[in-house]
Amino acid sequence: MTTTTADNADAVTTAAWRTVDRTPLSDDTVSRIDRWWRAANYLSVGQIYLLDNPLLRTPLAREDVKPRLLGHWGTTPGLNFLYAHLNRVIKEREQSTIYLTGPGHGGPGLVANAYLDGTYSEIYSDITADAEGMRRLFRQFSFPGGIPSHVAPETPGSIHEGGELGYALSHAYGAAFDNPDLLVATVIGDGEAETGALATGWHSNKLCNPAKDGVVLPILHLNGYKIANPTVLARIPEEELRSLMVGYGHKPYFFEVPDDAPDPAAPDDAHADAHRRFAALLDDVLNDIADIKARAAGGDDSRPAWPMIVFRTPKGWTGPDHIDGKKTTGSWRAHQVPLSNARDTAEHLGVLADWLASYRAEELFDDNGTLLPDIAELAPPGQLRMSDTPYANGGLLLKDLRLPDFREFAVDVPAPGATIAEATRVLGQWLTEVVRLNPDNFRIFGPDETASNRLQAVFDGTDKQWNAELIGPEVDEHLARVGRVVEMLSEHQCQGWLEGYLLTGRHGLFNCYEAFIHIIDSMFNQHAKWLKVTNHIPWRRPIASLNYLLSSHVWRQDHNGFSHQDPGFIDHVVNKSADVVRVYLPPDANTLLSTYDHCLRSRQYVNVVVSGKQPAPNFLTMEQAVAHCTRGLGIWEWAGSEVLGTDPDVVIAAAGDVPTLEALAAVDLLRIHLPDLKVRFVNVVDLMRLQDNTEHPHGLTSDAFDMIFTTEKPIIFAYHGYPWLIHRLTYRRTGHANLHVRGYKEEGTTTTPFDMVMLNDLDRYHLVMDVIDRVPSLGSRCATLRQQMADKRIAAREYTRSHGDDIPEVKDWVWPAARKLGVEAAGTSDTGGDNE
Amino acid sequence: MTTTTADNADAVTTAAWRTVDRTPLSDDTVSRIDRWWRAANYLSVGQIYLLDNPLLRTPLAREDVKPRLLGHWGTTPGLNFLYAHLNRVIKEREQSTIYLTGPGHGGPGLVANAYLDGTYSEIYSDITADAEGMRRLFRQFSFPGGIPSHVAPETPGSIHEGGELGYALSHAYGAAFDNPDLLVATVIGDGEAETGALATGWHSNKLCNPAKDGVVLPILHLNGYKIANPTVLARIPEEELRSLMVGYGHKPYFFEVPDDAPDPAAPDDAHADAHRRFAALLDDVLNDIADIKARAAGGDDSRPAWPMIVFRTPKGWTGPDHIDGKKTTGSWRAHQVPLSNARDTAEHLGVLADWLASYRAEELFDDNGTLLPDIAELAPPGQLRMSDTPYANGGLLLKDLRLPDFREFAVDVPAPGATIAEATRVLGQWLTEVVRLNPDNFRIFGPDETASNRLQAVFDGTDKQWNAELIGPEVDEHLARVGRVVEMLSEHQCQGWLEGYLLTGRHGLFNCYEAFIHIIDSMFNQHAKWLKVTNHIPWRRPIASLNYLLSSHVWRQDHNGFSHQDPGFIDHVVNKSADVVRVYLPPDANTLLSTYDHCLRSRQYVNVVVSGKQPAPNFLTMEQAVAHCTRGLGIWEWAGSEVLGTDPDVVIAAAGDVPTLEALAAVDLLRIHLPDLKVRFVNVVDLMRLQDNTEHPHGLTSDAFDMIFTTEKPIIFAYHGYPWLIHRLTYRRTGHANLHVRGYKEEGTTTTPFDMVMLNDLDRYHLVMDVIDRVPSLGSRCATLRQQMADKRIAAREYTRSHGDDIPEVKDWVWPAARKLGVEAAGTSDTGGDNE
């Protein structure tokens, strides 16, 4: 017996991994399971079709049927069958269980089961356990003002929305990490199984520790069809499928219910047989898991062949066999609403009435429409109910991270630019303490890039978890059976694991090359939507933010050049609701530390942090960094050349580390060549500050923006990403017409850093030319200087082509205050570790 | 003997699928293969490290080494080994072969082999087959002004760029479709094998016909390590890996070279043994394939267990075993530049010199630095060289599509709005003829959505290709062993197949739900970059455009609601170079036909076409549609209420089918309630017309834009996607400050169409309110009308909540000209087929 105590939740008492004698089901238990299943199926059909007359106490009339029939039937009876059987074993074994349904479009089924086990009425008090509540339950489904047709944040017990398919296993393993007593029963649709993310998700079992992590039980729901096609895995020989599952590291258990019409003389016999067979199989599977867990508890850290179930049942099982002469149950025609024209004719209405009647509601609900008590008893108690598990409402279990004081990890900055650091390496030192202080609720995920992104200091505090074969220390550096870092070359897995980990109440971050983060654009979408919706669901408690650390960013793809991608993930992110997205571009190491501390403390956001990993100058002391990050943007007085009390001639702004460096170098040139020019230097860490406060909660007011950026002076903005994003964020600002943005243009291949910024016209010389072009007082009197700048670009380009490296004037540049101290530049030759 | 004749290429004569007696290699052949391999390895190391002194005719000096060492060694020797051996069998069998390297970061290897077989010097005449050419070859690699470090468009023989990993198998099957005589030798890195796209790519063999399609030979390059970790597939027992490959439908052949230090007494023996063993294995594999091909030619259309090779060799094979005391070859340390500090010390320089010397260049190149003729003879002749195959320069093989006259498929439009059609269904009728007329070079790809997107008419002309099990016609509608439509529930596969198909000189389209197209954001990125780069490579001939048809768009997710995603793919696409992207939003059926005809004729673009599938009014006759699409945008005189010769009071613009409908309904309301208001109605099909002509080749000139949109009048713009994209495209326009955009805001769940547009404030009533708010002459005198409009919204919302359907006033609305004809509305209750 173990007890999980959470600060904010009732204690969940479980007897994890109990072995139970495998005895045949009693007739009574068969009956109760069958009637639960029938009740769930009835409620599912009712939700899809019925507007009224929930218990069919009067003959079904056209008006009882919804005018627009929306939803998905095909996968639902299978999900219901599994839920009923899991109820039994959870109760018998007191096994804490979360139920993940890859086929999330089977929403009616999950809602039906939550209603049957009482959770639904507890949360939504208007949906009572009687006929009127049932009427409301039916009516609200996929109805204007009601609930979504898919599994959604509104669905109790869910951490996995319907919609995009493919993430069931990733979410499942994310939920299982560091939850050693949790069973994650994971239904994988055979359609979903064809997606890339799911296909590689199987391999997550090589990164899951049998003692320290929970158990994922994959249930491959082989109902044979997608929207309009058979599924691949249903159309290969069983032996081939068995090989595939064995190859994925599983021990497959096969269960099959053929698509036969019921025997008219004994219509329930086939189902009773199915229940008995499946119950026996499920007992075997759970006993098998219990054995593995016992061996692991005894110190066996080898990777077991984890059980999985191939659950081959007819699509739309128990629905009408044929409709209008066409095969329906057991075919793709059952995928969605098989009787989409139920209101059209008396015959169709009759088909629906017969279908509903086939569940014999009178054997399931009493006169009030309440589930009969002996059926209700099938459900486990309290939070052992899958719909009520706190693991599916992670905020209930969430504990604050213990965070070391990031100020203690500050790099020393005696003067701006006077020291050099690799920002992510500094962050890694702080993260080392984070993982030490939070050994069971914080993880770092990455697609084989944690070291490349120079977070390797964390390996002083932890290892990379690896449950596949080990060879030896000569090649297996920092690999261990348990570790806070989880890596696999799949951005989909990293994202899905982190989502599952956060949704079950923990903390973490995903470090990734900026160039490849677009791989999970659609997954980010789904998670951001989930956060947005849960903000409006009072019973869902806030969860930790999803934190990205995008390094090896697009300005330093020295090894890779144009084969790598772009900074457009930021654009993608800011399309989402302002309530849930934050984008940070810390210009140096101390600002990165301050930013990340803030991110790890935050809730319900997606935080995107972009930071370089190459040696680069530090500009702000920690005190300055904290102030700057708290403001989100600000004037760097030490960098500008304004005269207090007068307007500047030009504002030079920068967001991002490389743009900040180039913008400062441009200011340096301007100070030398145009000492009278009054330059204001603005740095932006929190991109959302640029937006109006009516559009984003972090947005500056119009007055504050105008004060900083002026309303009439030219603004030259050096930005990390695509320039138009800055225009988009600021197009309502008074001075927008004066704004000139330099950013990423994605031009060709290059292999030296300064070449890269020149190719994109973001270099210091070009920024000086921009100032000359835009400050009215300069103009033709600076024609010579302008030409000098153009010549410098040509010389720099020529130098790289002859020397293969950047010109010393650029490479050795340091900020004037550092020059005075005799500081050496960061240089640009560092090429170690940024592999792909 | 079969002959492939291409209009624009030399004939490729092959003796496809010849069986060759399996005799042990002669010593001479072993020597030639080994020396080719050594030469390729030498040239690879040279490219990564050497700036000069290519043949080491003088002792290696620090100055000979590049100052910045960039590139990837680890995978390269394996790729070179395979290339050498494939050379032999291609020549013996005259087997047309394309070589796809998933580990595209092994760029030096592919360049080296193309140089050895002569292709490189033929294309790049400055890189001659002598010492000076070799010096240039080395210097240009990953050097400013030179070539990328990855396999890239610049690399002869490649259709598969390095960069993002995961698409080797998808591209391979795309290349194989309809190329029955082509062998697609496809190297899969074991890192890449962990990605989602690759993991599901294996199942493509269920959609490949053994007689009518080419053969993909997957070679799993199990070198054991990624950037800093072991790979999953290298760390599972061999029997588990065998099961996995069998489960994927393959017959695995295992080849292993252990990571042993060479015997000092006979250093070449181990390699000779490896060559003999691999040659025998490769002969077995190709004879096996030849047998399958012969059976298929004899009418056996069953799915064979296709051979695949597990190629387990040390990472960085032949490189330094240890560097600075650390295991390098056979470890992740060999991934990139193992000796990244080669210039630092004499010792390191010595390691590099010894390494280079180990290949014994004097046995490979003559005094001029030219490859010895007996080694050169290993390469097959002409276009049988993998670097010279026309299949890797698809434009050489490309034939125009035979396109039926789309005008003949026009829907009749007696008056605007007077007829109703489902636009994609109409397109499907035209596509039926396209597939009939182009039975071997046009394919339609989709993730199980072709019927749902209502293109099902195509099944009158073709079937869905399916080479897994068939059950029978009752459930296997339109499935056949050969067909023009290829479907699997993986957007990654659809995108990858289409890319491979196009890059080898064919045509096609990818139809997808708009809501999930973000899944392939990163793949789109890579292809768009490929197109952009190839535009500047003269020897690469133009290929057919990559055409998207995005249907089931975000405004009609009736079944799915908020669980589905957003219209942001358009934003993602327009981030890419204007030279290669086009976005079209046809407002009705005839404009969709005209647009798609244009897309299928185009070259070197990515065309994004967004179109609804629901019944909707037709507005333009085919004549009008052609004119409108040719202009790209235009004033719809029949819709507006301007008085010729005077300025309008307001411009109402629309882009997208749903926004066009709402905008027209708003104009209808304005005509009724404000008959004196002069409204100009503008519709935009080609989104890129909005941009300035200096930014996009389709952009309108400033004068033309100002003429249409005015410079001073309010513009109310109803747009399909996120509103800020319209701002971004037009922010330089004179009248931009007058522009007010309504678009997608992504607000919550809804299940009726009008609810959806109301939720996003894009509805007719809201547009009328916008006009009242923005036309100065209206103002408070229209306060009552404004309130009426607001009340209508409330009434419409209330109606949906009580009836579950849209209010009749909206549902039954038709354009006035159609009202006069007594036309009935399209309604909004249609719910069939839009599953997910």
Side-chain angles (χ1 to χ4, degrees), chain B residues 495 498-499 502 508 510 527 544-548 605-608:
Chain B
Q495 172 83 18
L498 178 55
E499 289 176 1
L502 300 174
F510 174 10
H527 190 72
S545 298
L546 193 156
N547 301 302
Y548 292 101
Y605 295 145
V606 175
N607 295 309
V608 179

Side-chain angles (χ1 to χ4, degrees), chain B residues 382-418:
Chain B
Q383 296 193 329
L384 281 172
R385 290 176 298 179
M386 290 179 281
S387 299
D388 193 29
T389 176
Y391 293 102
N393 187 1
L396 288 173
L397 302 173
L398 186 66
K399 296 177 187 180
D400 289 347
L401 282 176
R402 297 182 57 202
L403 290 178
D405 188 346
F406 63 95
R407 294 168 192 81
E408 292 171 12
F409 296 80
V411 294
D412 191 32
V413 186

Side-chain angles (χ1 to χ4, degrees), chain B residues 322-580:
Chain B
H322 283 68
I323 294 176
D324 293 334
K326 293 203 166 173
K327 173 76 176 158
T328 301
T329 296
S331 92
W332 47 269
R333 295 186 190 92
H335 178 76
Q336 201 180 59
V337 178
L339 196 66
S340 62
N341 45 9
R343 281 159 61 114
D344 289 4
T345 64
E347 187 195 339
H348 285 152
L349 203 62
V351 173
L352 178 59
D354 290 348
W355 179 9
L356 282 160
S358 73
Y359 299 115
R360 306 196 298 277
E362 63 281 9
E363 298 174 12
L364 314 173
F365 302 98
D366 67 15
D367 287 349
N368 290 325
T370 305
L371 186 68
L372 292 174
D374 74 317
I375 308 176
E377 268 189 19
L378 190 69
Q383 296 193 329
L384 281 172
R385 290 176 298 179
M386 290 179 281
S387 299
D388 193 29
T389 176
Y391 293 102
N393 187 1
L396 288 173
L397 302 173
L398 186 66
K399 296 177 187 180
D400 289 347
L401 282 176
R402 297 182 57 202
L403 290 178
D405 188 346
F406 63 95
R407 294 168 192 81
E408 292 171 12
F409 296 80
V411 294
D412 191 32
V413 186
T419 55
I420 303 295
E422 295 154 292
T424 53
R425 196 182 291 269
V426 173
L427 181 69
Q429 289 157 2
W430 177 69
L431 288 174
T432 306
E433 291 308 308
V434 176
V435 296
R436 281 200 180 118
L437 288 169
N438 302 279
D440 58 10
N441 66 339
F442 178 78
R443 293 222 184 203
I444 296 172
F445 300 96
D448 187 32
E449 293 164 3
T450 302
S452 174
N453 286 330
R454 308 215 179 145
L455 297 174
Q456 60 268 66
V458 296
F459 300 126
D460 293 342
T462 189
D463 288 305
K464 291 178 280 192
Q465 183 156 323
W466 184 258
N467 301 88
E469 292 171 352
L470 291 169
I471 290 183
E474 202 175 24
V475 288
D476 291 345
E477 239 176 50
H478 308 305
L479 290 187
R481 294 302 184 209
V482 178
R484 297 288 96 201
V485 177
V486 189
E487 299 214 90
M488 180 172 156
L489 210 169
S490 166
E491 286 79 1
H492 291 116
Q493 288 313 295
C494 295
Q495 172 83 18
W497 290 331
L498 178 55
E499 289 176 1
Y501 200 66
L502 300 174
L503 288 162
T504 49
R506 284 79 64 79
H507 307 260
L509 70 89
F510 174 10
N511 81 94
C512 187
Y513 285 9
E514 184 181 33
F516 296 134
I517 193 66
H518 275 301
I519 293 171
I520 53 76
D521 275 2
S522 61
M523 298 184 75
F524 155 80
N525 271 352
Q526 298 277 146
H527 190 72
K529 287 194 297 135
W530 178 280
L531 291 178
K532 178 185 156 138
V533 173
T534 54
N535 277 339
H536 303 285
I537 300 178
W539 60 267
R540 288 240 177 230
R541 299 284 181 87
I543 62 169
S545 298
L546 193 156
N547 301 302
Y548 292 101
L549 177 64
L550 305 184
S551 193
S552 309
H553 62 50
V554 295
W555 294 98
R556 291 299 300 271
Q557 281 299 333
D558 313 359
H559 272 273
N560 303 307
F562 197 54
S563 70
H564 284 41
Q565 294 171 28
D566 61 48
F569 187 65
I570 299 172
D571 303 60
H572 180 68
V573 164
V574 300
N575 271 346
K576 289 293 147 186
S577 171
D579 293 342
V580 297

Side-chain angles (χ1 to χ4, degrees), chain A residues 29-47:
Chain A
T29 307
V30 169
S31 162
R32 276 191 290 155
I33 292 174
D34 188 61
R35 283 181 296 145
W36 180 291
W37 182 42
R38 277 157 46 199
N41 287 342
Y42 182 84
L43 294 173
S44 301
V45 180
Q47 287 176 78

Side-chain angles (χ1 to χ4, degrees), chain A residues 67-72 139 142-145 149-150 162-164 194-196 199-200 225-230 235-237 240 243-244 246-249 303 322 327 331-333 335-336 448 464 466 468-469 471 474-477 479 487-490 492 513 516 518-519 521-522 525-526 529 532-533 558-560 562-566 572 575-576 722 724 727-728 731 746-747 751-752 755 800-805 828 831 834-836, chain B residues 67-72 105 139 142-145 149-150 162-164 194-196 199-200 225-230 235-237 240 243-244 246-249 303 322 327 331-333 335-336 448 464 466 468-469 471 474-477 479 487-490 492 516 518-519 521-522 525-526 529 532-533 558-560 562-566 572 575-576 722 724 727-728 731 746-747 751-752 755 800-805 828 831 834-836:
Chain A
R68 310 189 78 229
L69 295 172
L70 303 167
H72 296 78
R139 186 185 174 87
S142 207
F143 198 80
S149 73
H150 289 225
E164 191 187 333
E194 296 175 16
T195 65
T200 199
Y225 299 91
K226 300 173 293 211
I227 301 179
N229 283 293
R235 296 298 183 90
I236 62 175
E240 204 167 300
S243 285
L244 186 63
V246 169
Y248 277 138
R303 177 170 62 92
H322 282 68
K327 174 77 175 157
S331 92
W332 47 270
R333 295 186 190 93
H335 178 76
Q336 201 182 61
D448 187 31
K464 292 177 279 193
W466 184 259
E469 293 171 354
I471 290 182
E474 200 172 29
V475 288
D476 291 344
E477 238 176 51
L479 288 189
E487 298 214 89
M488 179 173 158
L489 210 169
S490 166
H492 291 116
Y513 284 10
F516 296 133
H518 274 300
I519 292 171
D521 275 2
S522 62
N525 271 351
Q526 297 278 147
K529 287 195 296 137
K532 177 186 157 132
V533 173
D558 313 0
H559 272 272
N560 302 306
F562 196 54
S563 71
H564 283 39
Q565 293 172 29
D566 61 48
H572 180 68
N575 271 346
K576 289 292 148 188
Y722 290 117
W724 35 78
H727 287 293
R728 169 181 152 183
Y731 73 87
E746 191 168 72
E747 288 298 332
T751 51
T752 77
D755 242 19
T800 63
R801 268 136 196 77
S802 59
H803 293 74
D805 206 349
T828 53
T831 57
D834 48 342
N835 298 15
E836 172 67 9
Chain B
R68 308 190 78 228
L69 295 172
L70 303 167
H72 295 79
H105 46 277
R139 186 184 174 88
S142 207
F143 198 81
S149 75
H150 289 223
E164 190 187 334
E194 295 176 16
T195 65
T200 199
Y225 298 91
K226 299 174 294 214
I227 300 179
N229 283 293
R235 295 296 182 93
I236 61 176
E240 204 167 300
S243 283
L244 186 63
V246 169
Y248 277 139
R303 177 170 62 91
H322 283 68
K327 173 76 176 158
S331 92
W332 47 269
R333 295 186 190 92
H335 178 76
Q336 201 180 59
D448 187 32
K464 291 178 280 192
W466 184 258
E469 292 171 352
I471 290 183
E474 202 175 24
V475 288
D476 291 345
E477 239 176 50
L479 290 187
E487 299 214 90
M488 180 172 156
L489 210 169
S490 166
H492 291 116
F516 296 134
H518 275 301
I519 293 171
D521 275 2
S522 61
N525 271 352
Q526 298 277 146
K529 287 194 297 135
K532 178 185 156 138
V533 173
D558 313 359
H559 272 273
N560 303 307
F562 197 54
S563 70
H564 284 41
Q565 294 171 28
D566 61 48
H572 180 68
N575 271 346
K576 289 293 147 186
Y722 290 116
W724 36 76
H727 287 293
R728 166 180 155 186
Y731 75 87
E746 192 167 70
E747 288 297 332
T751 52
T752 76
D755 243 17
T800 62
R801 268 135 194 78
S802 57
H803 292 74
D805 206 350
T828 53
T831 59
D834 47 341
N835 299 15
E836 171 64 11

Side-chain angles (χ1 to χ4, degrees), chain A residues 204-280:
Chain A
S204 298
N205 57 16
K206 282 90 190 174
L207 298 155
C208 189
N209 184 293
K212 304 287 187 187
D213 297 321
V215 175
V216 174
L217 172 61
I219 304 169
L220 180 61
H221 191 185
L222 217 61
N223 68 23
Y225 299 91
K226 300 173 293 211
I227 301 179
N229 283 293
T231 60
V232 167
L233 296 187
R235 296 298 183 90
I236 62 175
E238 183 169 309
E239 277 316 298
E240 204 167 300
L241 182 58
R242 184 185 304 276
S243 285
L244 186 63
M245 293 300 129
V246 169
Y248 277 138
H250 281 289
K251 175 179 175 186
Y253 286 77
F254 281 77
F255 176 76
E256 179 171 2
V257 174
D259 177 27
D260 295 332
D263 177 356
D268 293 345
D269 283 3
H271 292 165
D273 171 64
H275 291 309
R276 286 185 203 283
R277 286 191 293 121
F278 191 75

